[in-house]
Structure formats: structure tokens, C-alpha cells
Amino acid sequence: MSKQLSLFLTLIVFSFQIQAQIPNPALVGYWHNWNDVSAPYIPIDQVDDRYNVIEVSFAIPQFGTDYRMEFIPDQVTPANFISQMQTLQSQGKKVLISIGGATAPVSLNNVVERDSFINSMTRILTNYGFDGMDIDLEGSSLALTGGTINAPIDLPVIHLVEAVKQIMDNYRINFNRKMLLTMAPETAFVQGGMSAFGSIWGAYLPVIHALRDSMDLLQVQLYNSGSMYGIDGGIYTQGTADFIVAMTEAVIQGFTTGGGTFAGLPASKVAVGLPACTMAAGGGFTDTATVSSAMRYLLGQGPAPGSYTLTNTAGYPGLGGMMTWSMNWDAIATCGGIYEYAENFEHIFGSTTTSIQENAFMQSPQLYPNPSTGDVFILIPENVKTGSRFLMMDTQGRTVLEERFAGSGRIQLHVKELNRGIYFWWMDGYTGKILLE
């Protein structure tokens, strides 16, 4: 084998190993690491199977320390918790540790606090084997006194970005893959930047901007919010279909603030965050029919449910999914139906039991089924140009299959005649591997 070919295969394998992907569509649920009379503790491996991203709540600062974070399972031993979490991971679900929450602010005012946060979060991620980290900082954690989205001046913002980047680097070294990263800010910290840029208003925007390439999902809390501006200049009230649609399109299309323009995110990186039932939040609960009508309009599958009109008339069929606070609230019959939120998600997006939805927009080409005993299909995202080559290679680097993308969105690969085993593929700079059984 030539050195060039060996290097190419090494790069393919390395690229595949470090990639990590959040499910699309994602049903994200926060999980309580405590027992509550109204929303009882649920063993983490016994949550509803439709939840494919589980956010463990919470890692919090140890009292009296310089933001040394800790996570201690409440009802089971650490070893039992790890075993339960590994059961979920073996089913293809992603389990992330969420930091902060409403009652545990994290404000990294100096490098000592930053480094303490980095070291302790790296230790938690490594010791437990979480798939990633969720940033759920609220209250006094972040505030702006000046600067811009592109050039913040406030140390807690700057240090948080630096910390997350270093934690991600540490994770890659420890696990040889990308750490998943999600964020769940309140609306004032994001869309609130349209009405003001200072204090909490827009305070998350510099963080989102700095980490946009690493972030897998932004799930703004569309509750406990009050009213907010949309990008059309209208004012929309929580608990309505218009609020869901307007707030979601704002983070996709982007908007202008007193601190500069916030460039939008791909729809695949945006999820709609809502309470599971009336008791789960102080305000902003939205009934299932209203949620369904808003989501179908966002996905390009239905008419406008209110007065807000999407800028993109085709909608966003690749929308990242839905998030809820919380799975524990969703599980109880005294606050809506049992797993009413998960059931509504399933009605909106269809069954999530298949590994890839054919109508879901993907960021990179996706092969399925994988492993496969017969022919394989490849889904092509919109950013791949017509005429691009698809190459499939064996472990010796020999091309065994070549196709040209003709613009249909899906290619059927006739691989039944190939020997069973592992193959690598390449298309438009994306790489991966597939197992033929």
C-alpha cells in the first residue's frame, strides 16, 4: 500500500472516530437527579423510549469553592448510575450532563474559577462517560456591560467560552471523539437581544456565536418568558403558536441587536423547548394541538397557525427536534397525560425507531441501514452539489463503488455483490464507514 493511500485511510478512520452526531430529529428531555413529590424520581434507564437525548440535571458548583463542579447521583451509587446510563447509550441514545439550572448560577470571573470549572467538568465527563455537556446557565450567570456579539468584554462570557473549548479538547483527547454540546438559555438571553443588548438581554449571544461550529443543538426555553419581539417587529406572547414559530425562526434567520448582528444557525441545530405540562413551568405551557400546529408549520407541513408568517415559506424540514422540561413531569398522569409530550413529538415527526428519517435534512451524507444485509441508501443534504462523486472503498483503499449525485436527494447503492465486511466512504469532503453483514 502506498504511503499516500495509507495516510488517506488513516484520515478517514480518524475523521469517523472523532465525529459525534446528535439524533435528528431529537427528542430532548431533562432528567431530575432528585425526588419530588409532584414529579417523582425515575431511574434513568426507565424513561420513555422515545427520548433519544437525555440531559442529566444538574452538575452544580460545590458550596464555598471556586466553581469546582460536582455531580452525585441522588438515588443510586455512581457505579449503578453509570451502568444505567450505559444501557441507554447501548440503545443509541445520547446522555449529557447539564450544568447550572435555575438555582445554581455559574459566573467565571477570573482564570482561577475558569480553570477550576474546566478541571472539574472534565473529571465528571470522563469518570461517568457522558456523551457531552449542556449549558443551562440562568439568572446571574451571564450579563453584558458592553462589547459586541463578536467581541465581548465581560469576563464571565469570555471565560465560559474559553472553558467550553478546553473541555471539548480534553474530551476529544480522552474519548477520541467529539463532545456533544447543547445549550438551553432563556429567551431574554437570546431573542431578548432584539429589544436590548445589555445586562441579561442578549447575554448568551456571544457564547452561541463563539461556539456555533461546535454546538449541536440550541434549545431556547420558550417558557417563563413573557412576550418577545420577532424578526418581523411584532410582539409575541408565550404559550401561543405564534410565539413558538417566531422565536424559532429568529434563531435560524438571525437578527440585529445593539451589539451587532447575530447570524442564524442551521435549522438542524435548533430545537423547540417547551414545558411538559402546566405544572412544569411558571408560564408558557402550550397545549398539544397548538404545539402540533406550530411545529407542522415550521416543518413546512401545514398552514400558518396564527398571524406570524415564516420568512422561509418552505419551512424548515430539517428542524433539530423538540426539548422539554422535563421527562419526570411528562411521566405523571396528574399533569397532562402520561408521556403526552413524547407522544405529541411522535405524532409530529413520526416514529423515531428508525436510525434515519428520510424526510430529515442532514448536515452530512448519511448511509442507512448501517449495518446492512442488503442494499444501502445514502441521503444527500442540500449543501452537496449536483455532480459530486460518492466513493466506497475497502480496507485496502481500493474503490469498489462510485456514484454521481444527480440531485434526487437519495441514492440507492447496490452492494449485494460486495464481500461482507467494513467499508469506508467519501463524498464532498465527508467521510464515514459502513458494515455489510
Side-chain angles (χ1 to χ4, degrees), residues 63 109 255 354 385:
F63 180 75
N109 293 294
F255 47 84
T354 55
K385 297 178 181 179

Side-chain angles (χ1 to χ4, degrees), residues 33 48 69 95 116 123 147 277:
N33 181 42
D48 189 276
M69 305 297 287
V95 186
S116 178
R123 187 163 51 249
C277 63

Side-chain angles (χ1 to χ4, degrees), residues 2-14 391 393 397 424-426 431:
S2 70
K3 290 183 179 179
Q4 292 86 350
L5 180 57
S6 177
L7 177 61
F8 178 64
L9 285 175
T10 300
L11 288 172
I12 287 178
V13 174
F14 179 73
L391 298 177
M393 294 150 286
F424 300 98
W425 61 265
W426 177 94
T431 62

Side-chain angles (χ1 to χ4, degrees), residues 109 143-159 197 206:
N109 293 294
L144 300 175
T145 62
T148 66
I149 292 172
N150 293 335
I153 63 171
D154 295 283
L155 289 179
V157 172
I158 295 169
H159 288 155
F197 190 78

Side-chain angles (χ1 to χ4, degrees), residues 123-419:
R123 187 163 51 249
I124 290 170
L125 287 159
T126 304
N127 290 348
Y128 283 91
F130 287 108
D131 293 297
M133 182 171 73
D134 171 66
I135 302 175
D136 184 14
L137 301 183
E138 303 179 22
S140 61
S141 295
L142 297 175
L144 300 175
T145 62
T148 66
I149 292 172
N150 293 335
I153 63 171
D154 295 283
L155 289 179
V157 172
I158 295 169
H159 288 155
L160 177 62
V161 171
E162 292 172 345
V164 173
K165 287 182 177 179
Q166 185 60 58
I167 291 167
M168 294 192 77
D169 286 345
N170 295 345
Y171 189 95
R172 185 176 289 108
I173 292 170
N174 292 334
F175 291 99
N176 198 27
R177 67 177 186 266
K178 178 189 177 298
M179 184 191 84
L180 296 177
L181 178 64
T182 62
M183 299 186 195
E186 298 168 283
T187 53
F189 290 80
V190 184
Q191 293 93 337
M194 284 185 273
S195 57
F197 190 78
S199 185
I200 66 171
W201 302 98
Y204 247 89
L205 294 176
V207 179
I208 296 169
H209 174 72
L211 298 171
R212 63 173 55 242
D213 292 336
S214 301
M215 186 171 57
D216 295 279
L217 212 56
L218 175 67
Q219 43 206 24
V220 178
Q221 301 175 30
L222 303 185
Y223 48 93
N224 297 337
S225 166
S227 299
M228 289 284 156
Y229 278 103
I231 58 176
D232 64 347
I235 299 176
Y236 298 96
T237 304
Q238 66 178 0
T240 65
D242 274 340
F243 190 77
I244 294 172
V245 175
M247 294 303 100
T248 302
E249 187 173 52
V251 293
I252 297 172
Q253 289 294 329
F255 47 84
T256 300
T257 77
T261 298
F262 171 70
L265 298 169
S268 58
K269 289 191 175 190
V270 176
V272 172
L274 295 165
C277 63
T278 54
M279 295 166 59
F285 170 74
T286 314
D287 65 80
T288 56
T290 303
V291 172
S292 180
S293 64
M295 291 300 299
R296 293 190 187 283
Y297 183 47
L298 281 165
L299 292 166
Q301 298 174 1
S307 61
Y308 184 89
T309 301
L310 286 172
T311 301
N312 181 5
T313 56
Y316 304 97
L319 194 65
M322 294 167 61
M323 172 275 278
T324 193
W325 178 267
S326 64
M327 293 187 295
N328 302 66
W329 282 111
D330 198 20
I332 61 173
T334 55
C335 188
I338 295 176
Y339 287 116
E340 183 178 76
Y341 195 89
E343 183 176 351
N344 201 33
F345 169 87
E346 189 171 42
H347 289 162
I348 293 164
F349 285 96
S351 173
T352 59
T353 56
T354 55
S355 60
I356 293 178
Q357 301 289 317
E358 288 200 43
N359 66 344
F361 175 82
M362 311 302 293
Q363 291 180 270
S364 62
Q366 299 291 320
L367 274 65
Y368 76 100
N370 186 9
S372 176
T373 57
D375 282 352
V376 174
F377 295 90
I378 177 168
L379 295 181
I380 314 294
E382 294 177 1
N383 57 321
V384 172
K385 297 178 181 179
T386 300
S388 293
R389 285 197 308 164
F390 171 85
L391 298 177
M392 191 168 172
M393 294 150 286
D394 62 19
T395 55
Q396 300 300 310
R398 296 172 297 207
T399 298
V400 296
L401 187 67
E402 180 175 347
E403 296 281 353
R404 290 279 182 178
F405 175 46
S408 64
R410 189 179 81 158
I411 299 174
Q412 183 174 3
L413 304 175
H414 301 287
V415 297
K416 292 180 180 179
E417 302 303 319
L418 296 178
N419 294 329

